[in-house]
């Protein structure tokens, strides 16, 4: 008697998991370099500054003059304002929709915990042409944890997705102008999602339906391989052009599903469990940047990034016993990001940096969810690098991110079967205006051997 419940609730939970990953374009993590953060990552593929170039452009390692290690991290503090929120439910009957009234709850908006995003890189020139390197970093990640009484809990109240990457890298410099590089990436993804599913379990003496909520959870993980390619070209010593390609990564997530409620225990159903699987492909990306040495002290940079999100046109979830569970159209669009920044060498020991970036979301208004309610972003950054000795550099940076105000307007329909009887489907709706902003504070240490 659990089949219908398994099918619909599992579909809702896994669909949310896939959507969260797919929205990683809107929440793609840029924090792989604090020195780069200071100028808005404008010279990510072209500015060869320290070992973080292992991520920015694998070709850049061959332009370093000696071995070095860079470790650091950025602490992200996100703030969200939720306004004009409303939630309601309706019971779907043969005679039509029967309104069940508003859903009570809060909209605190404090649903993204403070997070530290760490990284570590090592680069080792072998000779004037060949170099090896290795990096560990987080390319994607998101977490939203709403309060227990969140008004939109029927759409989603907890989302956590983490991707960690390890990248061995090699680069080769042909001459003073050209260098190439390649990195192989080992990627591991973990995710957990929760949603409170409304269920009609009976009737009150006055004939009104009795509604309860079931705690629906799904967890999954997988590992997969990808690669990076990079090219650097210096037509003159003062000008550096960089181009980096990051491949798509194909994940085949396998996980566990559970749904529990005291009411399910009372009905003799108990905790519902199942397995689930879905294919997930993160998009290929291209980054181009230009670094121009304007004078002995001033350096300017420009960057542009593109992600092929248009390949994400549907969500397809399959079960071990029932084949296709859901197939929903998404129709994402390709996403661009642009940045510009500069660095001024104030003294031989101190460099000052600043930059600005525009990051456009791939999501569509009609599919935006409470799990990742993101939109186009503007990012303003400042930073500094202090080198007390030629072997040691300490970099710090601060970024302020503000997003365009956006709206979430979601609707879900849930039902299941008990003792051969299908409960009436319940449609839950949630609508709210979101305004997101974030502060990022980063620090890193580079030591040269």
């Amino acid at each position: 008697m659990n089949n219908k419940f398994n099918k619909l609730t599992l579909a809702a939970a896994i669909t949310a998991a896939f959507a969260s990953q797919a929205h990683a374009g809107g929440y793609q993590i840029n924090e792989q370099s604090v020195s780069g953060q200071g100028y808005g990552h404008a010279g990510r593929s072209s500015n060869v500054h320290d070992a973080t170039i292992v991520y920015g452009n694998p070709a850049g390692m061959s332009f370093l003059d000696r071995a070095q290690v860079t470790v650091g991290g950025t602490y992200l503090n996100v703030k969200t304002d939720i306004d004009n929120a409303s939630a309601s439910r309706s019971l779907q009957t043969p005679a039509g929709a029967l309104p069940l009234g508003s859903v009570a709850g809060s909209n605190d908006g404090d649903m993204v915990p403070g997070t530290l995003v760490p990284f570590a890189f090592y680069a080792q020139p072998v000779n004037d042409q060949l170099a090896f390197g290795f990096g560990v970093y987080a390319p994607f990640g998101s977490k939203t944890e709403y309060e227990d009484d969140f008004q939109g809990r029927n759409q989603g109240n907890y989302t956590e997705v983490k991707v960690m990457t390890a990248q061995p890298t090699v680069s080769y410099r042909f001459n003073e102008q050209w260098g190439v590089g390649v990195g192989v990436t080992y990627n591991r993804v973990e995710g957990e999602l929760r949603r409170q599913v409304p269920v009609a379990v009976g009737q009150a003496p006055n004939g009104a339906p009795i509604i309860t909520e079931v705690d629906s959870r799904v967890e999954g993980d997988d590992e997969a391989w990808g690669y990076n390619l990079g090219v650097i070209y210096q037509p003159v010593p003062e000008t550096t052009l960089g181009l980096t390609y990051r491949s798509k990564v194909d994940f085949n997530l396998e996980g566990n599903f559970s749904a529990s409620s005291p009411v399910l225990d009372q009905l003799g159903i108990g905790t519902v469990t199942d397995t689930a699987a879905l294919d997930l492909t993160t998009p290929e990306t291209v980054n181009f940047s230009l670094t121009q040495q304007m004078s002995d002290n001033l350096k300017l940079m420009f960057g542009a990034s593109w992600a092929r999100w248009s390949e994400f046109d549907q969500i397809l979830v399959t079960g071990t016993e029932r084949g296709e569970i859901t197939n929903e159209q998404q129709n994402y669009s390709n996403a661009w990001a642009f940045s510009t920044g500069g660095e001024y060498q104030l003294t031989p020991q101190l460099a000052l940096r600043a930059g600005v970036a525009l990051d456009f979301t791939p999501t569509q208004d009609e599919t935006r969810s409470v799990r990742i309610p993101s939109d186009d972003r503007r990012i303003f950054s400042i930073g500094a690098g202090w080198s007390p000795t030629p072997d040691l550099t300490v970099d710090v940076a601060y970024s302020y991110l503000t997003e365009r105000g956006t709206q979430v307007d979601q609707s879900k329909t849930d039902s299941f079967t008990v003792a051969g009887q299908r409960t009436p489907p319940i449609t839950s709706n949630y609508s709210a205006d979101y305004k997101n902003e974030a502060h990022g504070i980063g620090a890193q240490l580079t030591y040269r051997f």
Side-chain angles (χ1 to χ4, degrees):
M1 69 181 170
N2 294 336
N3 284 349
K4 189 68 176 181
F5 182 83
N6 277 0
K7 180 176 179 180
L8 294 179
T9 313
L10 179 60
I14 295 290
T15 294
F18 199 107
S20 295
Q21 281 285 33
H23 280 68
Y27 269 88
Q28 188 170 5
I29 296 177
N30 286 322
E31 284 71 30
Q32 296 88 18
S33 170
V34 173
S35 54
Q37 179 187 347
Y39 43 78
H41 301 290
R44 184 184 291 277
S45 295
S46 57
N47 192 41
V48 183
H49 181 75
D50 50 43
T52 62
I53 197 66
V54 170
Y55 173 84
N57 187 339
M61 293 190 306
S62 58
F63 286 77
L64 294 171
D65 57 359
R66 52 180 169 152
Q68 51 196 276
V69 59
T70 300
V71 296
T74 298
Y75 180 79
L76 301 177
N77 182 24
V78 181
K79 182 180 183 299
T80 300
D81 290 326
I82 303 177
D83 298 306
N84 304 316
S86 64
S88 62
R89 296 177 186 143
S90 60
L91 192 69
Q92 307 302 313
T93 70
L98 174 64
L100 298 177
S102 299
V103 177
S106 57
N107 295 277
D108 293 345
D110 184 21
M111 77 281 190
V112 181
T115 303
L116 176 66
V117 183
F119 58 82
F121 297 96
Y122 175 73
Q124 173 68 63
V126 177
N127 52 42
D128 292 340
Q129 294 178 298
L130 184 65
F132 293 93
F134 187 81
V136 179
Y137 55 89
F140 294 97
S142 66
K143 184 175 184 179
T144 52
E145 185 175 5
Y146 290 90
E147 64 273 20
D148 292 340
D149 197 35
F150 173 50
Q151 194 174 13
R153 60 190 178 274
N154 297 154
Q155 315 300 324
N157 60 347
Y158 184 91
T159 303
E160 184 173 17
V161 178
K162 297 183 293 186
V163 179
M164 291 300 298
T165 297
Q167 177 186 319
T169 311
V170 61
S171 67
Y172 185 81
R173 186 171 181 175
F174 293 102
N175 50 44
E176 293 298 318
Q177 294 180 312
W178 288 96
V180 297
V182 59
V184 177
T185 63
Y186 165 79
N187 308 274
R188 180 168 180 81
V189 58
E190 297 179 356
E192 179 181 356
L193 301 112
R194 306 173 192 167
R195 184 167 77 88
Q196 304 304 306
V197 180
V199 177
V201 294
Q203 287 185 336
N206 62 359
I210 299 175
I211 307 300
T212 189
E213 292 182 341
V214 175
D215 183 23
S216 169
R217 303 188 179 199
V218 63
E219 299 179 0
D221 57 57
D222 190 32
E223 53 192 35
W225 295 87
Y227 63 92
N228 299 340
L229 301 174
V231 178
I232 281 185
Y233 173 55
Q234 284 187 335
V236 294
E238 297 79 16
T239 303
T240 304
L241 304 173
L243 183 67
T244 303
Y245 171 84
R246 296 183 177 87
S247 73
K248 65 180 183 179
V249 177
D250 295 319
F251 293 103
N252 304 110
L253 278 76
E254 295 182 354
N256 300 312
F257 165 76
S258 67
S260 60
S261 166
V263 174
L264 293 182
D265 294 337
Q266 295 171 9
L267 293 174
I269 299 175
T271 299
V272 178
T273 61
D274 201 351
T275 61
L278 67 149
D279 295 335
L280 167 66
T281 299
T282 57
E284 57 185 330
T285 62
V286 179
N287 177 269
F288 167 80
S289 69
L290 164 67
T291 298
Q292 180 66 45
Q293 193 75 43
M294 305 299 294
S295 67
D296 290 341
N297 296 331
L298 179 63
K299 179 164 52 177
L300 299 180
M301 287 154 279
F302 168 81
S305 297
W306 177 83
R308 191 191 292 275
W309 280 111
S310 60
E311 293 184 351
F312 178 51
D313 58 357
Q314 67 177 358
I315 296 171
L316 180 61
V317 183
T318 58
T320 55
E321 298 179 356
R322 56 190 57 86
E324 182 176 301
I325 294 176
T326 186
N327 189 340
E328 299 181 8
Q329 299 301 306
Q330 294 297 303
N331 299 320
Y332 273 34
S333 60
N334 296 331
W336 283 92
F338 302 95
S339 56
T340 185
E343 178 181 275
Y344 186 78
Q345 195 71 40
L346 186 64
T347 70
Q349 293 78 32
L350 182 62
L352 303 179
R353 306 175 182 120
V356 60
L358 299 176
D359 190 358
F360 297 99
T361 182
T363 63
Q364 302 297 307
D365 291 343
E366 60 271 16
T367 57
R368 189 170 292 111
S369 76
V370 299
R371 295 192 182 276
I372 301 188
S374 182
D375 211 307
D376 297 339
R377 306 182 294 186
R378 292 170 294 170
I379 308 168
F380 306 92
S381 302
I382 57 174
W386 178 54
S387 300
T389 71
D391 299 332
L392 180 67
T393 299
V394 178
D395 295 288
V396 294
Y398 166 77
S399 298
Y400 171 70
L401 180 152
T402 179
E403 286 190 358
R404 183 177 67 176
T406 193
Q407 185 180 43
V408 170
D409 190 0
Q410 278 189 273
S411 177
K412 293 183 182 295
T413 300
D414 299 285
S415 176
F416 70 100
T417 300
V418 176
Q421 298 295 318
R422 181 174 179 267
T423 63
I426 295 178
T427 298
S428 56
N429 303 283
Y430 179 75
S431 177
D433 295 328
Y434 279 73
K435 184 67 172 69
N436 302 312
E437 65 176 16
H439 304 270
I441 302 174
Q444 78 176 35
L445 177 70
T446 297
Y447 184 77
R448 302 171 182 86
F449 301 94

